[in-house]
Amino acid sequence: MRIKDILADGRPSVSFEVFPPKKDAPFAPVKEAVARLARQKPSFMSVTYGASGNAQANTAAIASFVQSCGVTALAHLTCLSATRESIAGEVAALMDAGVENVLCLRGDMPKDSASASDGPFRHAVDLVRTLRESTSFCLGGACYPECHPECEHMEDDIRRLREKVDAGLDFVTTQMFFDNNIFYRYLSKLRDRGVTVPVIAGIMPVTNGKQIARICKISGTYLPSRFKAIVDKFGDHPSAMLDAGVAYATEQIIDLFANGINAVHVYTMNKPEVAERIMANLRGIVGNDEN
Ligand code: FAD
């Protein structure tokens, strides 16, 4: 099913994210996690592409497995070091896998940034144009409530987002944020600047206190003092951090739904237990009562 149609029906939508196995790593643990996540009946499940050293070649295979579990798949695709031929190959693999939805991304700039941007795809918008012209995929893209770290001014970042949407995006998904007010202000700016496609709010349940400070530093994500206190207090105690991280993410999601946001993407990262606990907290709200 196309994600734009899922979002159009207006019911609260909760989607999940998984990453494929690294090169030469076994598929079984990832498939097990996907099958468990699928039992929570997410609106769709996205499969990352090449992030954190995961094999790009495995994205289509895991997206195909997601669909075999009865859940719509969203395949991520990055383009920075790609050629026209390599993108055509990925498109063919996704079509063979029956995937209808693609998240068009640039990918992170490697340290040797000069060589990375030599190819035909310098920005995600280049991939959007290519896929819009040559395929009938439903297309999504990324956006940044706290501005993309390489961009100095939010207004420039939003202008580029608008170009990306105008090139053919059907929806956008945000980078994680821990303060919903930042998201509400951003959404209002997007609407003012003519970005009218659905915006899916990205929520990261933090279960590893040590990682989060580093991730926030790299991505420029603001850590509210209330959240920082939780990490300082429970960050060294995995079971306490799991309880607190699930509770914090649940509160964020309930606040979003209460304020009229219909679509939330949970960065579940192959952790079914986290998704199960969050969905149990939302049972009456998202209406999957039979879970
Ligand atoms: P772009 O939209 O190209 O923007 C990147 C930067 O370039 C921004 O600063 C923007 O303002 C600027 N820019 C855009 N267009 C122009 C232009 N025409 N001229 C000048 N500047 C321009 N990474 C992975 O490797 N794999 C994944 O699976 C993955 N999934 C992600 C999912 C989500 C929801 C998000 C938010 C990020 C994901 N990422 C992933 C990370 C992403 O690749 C990085 O954030 C990357 O740095 C930017 O990607 P983008 O698609 O937003 O790039």
Side-chain angles (χ1 to χ4, degrees):
M1 192 167 178
R2 288 161 167 269
I3 288 170
K4 68 175 180 182
D5 296 328
I6 294 173
L7 299 176
D9 100 356
R11 281 184 293 177
S13 159
V14 180
S15 50
F16 297 157
E17 181 156 311
V18 295
F19 51 85
K22 286 190 186 347
K23 191 166 178 283
D24 300 330
F27 270 64
V30 177
K31 285 187 167 179
E32 235 169 76
V34 167
R36 254 179 84 181
L37 286 164
R39 287 200 280 278
Q40 295 302 312
K41 300 190 178 134
S43 303
F44 64 88
M45 244 192 268
S46 81
V47 186
T48 64
Y49 184 85
S52 317
N54 297 297
Q56 297 178 342
N58 292 337
T59 296
I62 293 298
S64 172
F65 184 72
V66 165
Q67 306 231 120
S68 75
C69 295
V71 175
T72 295
L74 167 64
H76 296 201
L77 181 59
T78 66
C79 63
L80 191 58
S81 310
T83 60
R84 296 213 174 277
E85 294 69 33
S86 69
I87 291 296
E90 294 294 349
V91 164
L94 293 173
M95 283 177 169
D96 282 351
V99 171
E100 292 180 274
N101 306 285
V102 175
L103 193 73
C104 301
L105 299 151
R106 185 195 70 180
D108 278 320
M109 199 59 93
K111 292 206 171 70
D112 172 19
S113 58
S115 66
S117 47
D118 280 351
F121 302 99
R122 298 171 72 101
H123 304 286
V125 67
D126 303 319
L127 180 62
V128 178
R129 288 195 183 109
T130 297
L131 295 194
R132 185 46 82 218
E133 276 166 24
S134 58
T135 75
S136 57
F137 289 133
C138 172
L139 300 179
C143 66
Y144 302 85
E146 296 173 72
C147 197
H148 185 264
E150 287 164 34
C151 194
E152 275 187 36
H153 303 290
M154 178 64 105
E155 286 299 333
D156 291 337
D157 206 33
I158 293 180
R159 195 164 39 77
R160 265 107 194 215
L161 178 65
R162 170 84 198 262
E163 284 165 13
K164 199 159 67 167
V165 170
D166 289 348
L169 292 185
D170 296 300
F171 65 92
V172 291
T173 305
T174 75
Q175 178 61 284
M176 64 180 172
F177 56 88
F178 297 107
D179 179 343
N180 286 3
N181 288 325
I182 290 175
F183 173 81
Y184 297 133
R185 283 196 293 273
Y186 179 64
L187 185 61
S188 160
K189 267 196 188 142
L190 293 190
R191 297 313 187 213
D192 282 352
R193 308 296 184 273
V195 176
T196 56
V197 292
V199 178
I200 305 178
I203 296 296
M204 168 78 91
V206 175
T207 56
N208 183 330
K210 289 200 179 106
Q211 273 172 0
I212 199 60
R214 189 179 54 83
I215 293 173
C216 286
K217 200 163 170 228
I218 297 168
S219 62
T221 304
Y222 168 64
L223 271 186
S225 53
R226 195 167 73 85
F227 184 79
K228 208 170 160 300
I230 289 172
V231 175
D232 288 346
K233 179 80 179 171
F234 304 121
D236 290 332
H237 306 278
S239 61
M241 194 59 227
L242 176 64
D243 284 348
V246 164
Y248 193 93
T250 302
E251 251 189 62
Q252 273 195 285
I253 295 169
I254 291 174
D255 179 75
L256 289 163
F257 285 141
N259 283 282
I261 306 305
N262 283 332
V264 171
H265 186 65
V266 185
Y267 292 107
T268 45
M269 311 317 288
N270 302 15
K271 290 186 185 142
E273 66 282 8
V274 173
E276 286 158 1
R277 291 180 60 169
I278 290 176
M279 292 306 267
N281 291 338
L282 299 175
R283 196 161 288 152
I285 294 173
V286 295
N288 287 342
D289 284 317
E290 62 275 30
N291 287 333

